[in-house]
């Protein structure tokens, strides 16, 4: 296990977006080598997995992983310097920017799904999360108790789809309220405008702490989904995907992935599913 993770010099820079044509996607390694540059897209509002910290820097589990990937990529490609660009994206345009070649890799909170793989490819899983519920402390912590009530979620996410599917499968009818951001949804819950808020467990936990909800609200123990998250990369660029997977395999084997988790989520114990991922990740002979 390495003793220290040192962020690259340009991690603090939020870069200006640069438009590229679809043709630039085909050979990502060649373009990175030629320009000494890699462009990472990252979410600014998906803490603790991807966000901007108090110093205005990209932070969270995914950006920290991508920072390490960039350092190792530079060594493997024998580049003396690698200009690392972190470009903000949102939940609606993130995969389009990968597909168009505007960014080389998405370092956000992205669940691997078959429908998304129609447009982009994914690396090895880097995290395992699951949809859960935040609700008033006196409320019954089950889905069935939400029948006829107002439940919130962020729009254009896999959480939205999983909530709709779960309620339909259980034959439960509720008033679904979509929000543009998690803080907006948490505020609505705190103000009594909705009865429950759905999101990934990791996101709920951070917002729960940040909003000072202890004693008044609780996290349900009921989990709707188990979601594997990965780094989205250009579709069909097999050499680049294999290189990224080799780097991630090394990071798993050396304990770097677990160490990054401890930095991104201090005081939080990895879930059993995530611990299993640390063990079963592919080897890199």
């Amino acid at each position: 296990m390495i003793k220290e993770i040192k962020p690259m010099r340009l991690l603090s820079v939020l870069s200006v977006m640069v438009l590229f044509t679809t043709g630039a996607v085909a050979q990502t390694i060649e373009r990175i080598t030629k320009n000494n540059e890699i462009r990472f897209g990252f979410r600014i509002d998906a803490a603790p997995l991807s966000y901007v910290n108090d110093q205005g820097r990209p932070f969270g589990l995914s950006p920290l992983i991508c920072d390490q990937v960039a350092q190792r990529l530079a060594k493997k490609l024998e580049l003396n310097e690698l200009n690392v660009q972190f470009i903000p994206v949102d939940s609606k345009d993130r995969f389009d920017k990968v597909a168009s070649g505007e960014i080389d890799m998405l370092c956000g909170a992205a669940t691997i799904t078959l429908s998304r793989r129609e447009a982009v490819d994914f690396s090895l899983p880097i995290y395992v999360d699951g949809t859960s519920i935040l609700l008033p402390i006196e409320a019954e912590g089950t889905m069935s108790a939400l029948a006829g009530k107002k439940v919130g979620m962020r729009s254009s996410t896999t959480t939205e789809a999983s909530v709709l599917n779960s309620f339909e499968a259980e034959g439960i009818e509720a008033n679904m309220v979509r929000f543009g951001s998690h803080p907006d949804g948490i505020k609505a819950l705190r103000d009594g405008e909705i009865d429950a808020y759905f999101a990934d467990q990791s996101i709920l936990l951070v917002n729960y702490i940040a909003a000072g909800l202890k004693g008044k609200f609780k996290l349900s123990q009921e989990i709707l989904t188990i979601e594997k998250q990965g780094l989205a990369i250009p579709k069909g660029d097999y050499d680049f995907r294999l290189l990224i997977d080799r780097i991630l395999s090394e990071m798993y084997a050396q304990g770097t992935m677990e160490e990054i988790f401890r930095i991104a989520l201090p005081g939080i114990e990895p879930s059993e599913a995530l611990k299993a991922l640390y063990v079963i990740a592919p080897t890199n002979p």
Side-chain angles (χ1 to χ4, degrees):
M1 179 180 296
I2 61 175
K3 295 182 178 180
E4 182 179 5
I5 296 177
K6 297 182 179 179
M8 297 192 76
R9 181 170 51 89
L10 293 179
L11 185 60
S12 62
V13 179
L14 297 184
S15 305
V16 177
M17 294 186 182
V18 182
L19 298 180
F20 290 84
T21 63
T22 304
V25 174
Q27 298 297 329
T28 309
I29 294 176
E30 181 180 344
R31 191 202 61 74
I32 291 172
T33 302
K34 179 180 178 181
N35 298 334
N36 291 321
E37 177 187 78
I38 187 167
R39 305 181 307 268
F40 293 133
F42 81 107
R43 294 275 298 280
I44 64 173
D45 56 356
L49 303 183
S50 181
Y51 63 103
V52 177
N53 66 13
D54 293 340
Q55 289 75 45
R57 300 176 180 177
F59 201 73
L61 184 79
S62 298
L64 286 173
I65 288 174
C66 285
D67 183 53
Q68 273 289 301
V69 167
Q71 294 185 50
R72 293 165 185 256
L73 186 64
K75 290 182 179 180
K76 289 185 179 296
L77 297 180
E78 299 181 348
L79 301 176
N80 292 327
E81 290 188 13
L82 181 60
N83 179 25
V84 180
Q85 306 276 348
F86 277 85
I87 301 172
V89 299
D90 60 38
S91 61
K92 296 180 180 179
D93 65 13
R94 49 185 171 162
F95 298 111
D96 291 337
K97 292 183 183 298
V98 176
S100 69
E102 194 169 324
I103 57 177
D104 301 311
M105 185 185 299
L106 175 62
C107 297
T111 301
I112 302 170
T113 67
L114 292 176
S115 60
R116 287 173 175 175
R117 286 178 59 187
E118 293 176 0
V120 299
D121 283 334
F122 284 91
S123 70
L124 297 174
I126 62 168
Y127 187 68
V128 180
D129 212 340
T131 302
S132 190
I133 319 168
L134 183 63
L135 65 173
I137 197 166
E138 70 276 5
E140 183 180 338
T142 63
M143 279 183 51
S144 59
L146 295 174
K149 297 186 177 181
K150 290 184 178 181
V151 299
M153 70 214 73
R154 183 166 182 172
S155 61
S156 303
T157 62
T158 54
T159 295
E160 180 182 12
S162 67
V163 170
L164 294 175
N165 291 337
S166 297
F167 272 75
E168 182 179 356
E170 296 293 329
I172 302 171
E173 294 187 5
N175 185 0
M176 305 292 178
V177 184
R178 279 79 168 178
F179 294 91
S181 72
H182 293 300
D184 287 343
I186 300 297
K187 182 178 183 301
L189 176 64
R190 186 178 55 198
D191 293 344
E193 297 173 8
I194 59 175
D195 299 293
Y197 188 73
F198 287 80
D200 289 342
Q201 265 193 329
S202 58
I203 292 173
L204 288 179
L205 179 61
V206 167
N207 281 274
Y208 174 83
I209 296 172
L213 301 181
K214 186 176 181 181
K216 296 182 179 180
F217 295 85
K218 64 182 178 181
L219 279 168
S220 171
Q221 297 302 311
E222 190 166 332
I223 304 296
L224 302 187
T225 61
I226 297 295
E227 301 184 16
K228 298 179 290 296
Q229 299 186 357
L231 306 173
I233 57 182
K235 187 175 179 63
D237 197 338
Y238 304 113
D239 290 339
F240 184 56
R241 185 178 69 181
L242 180 59
L243 180 55
I244 296 302
D245 283 348
R246 286 188 185 279
I247 290 173
L248 291 175
S249 295
E250 291 176 356
M251 292 170 64
Y252 273 114
Q254 296 169 2
T256 308
M257 296 294 280
E258 187 171 358
E259 186 174 352
I260 289 175
F261 177 90
R262 304 290 183 187
I263 294 173
L265 291 92
I268 304 300
E269 187 66 19
S271 66
E272 294 303 316
L274 188 55
K275 289 178 181 178
L277 188 61
Y278 293 150
V279 175
I280 66 175
T283 56
N284 187 19

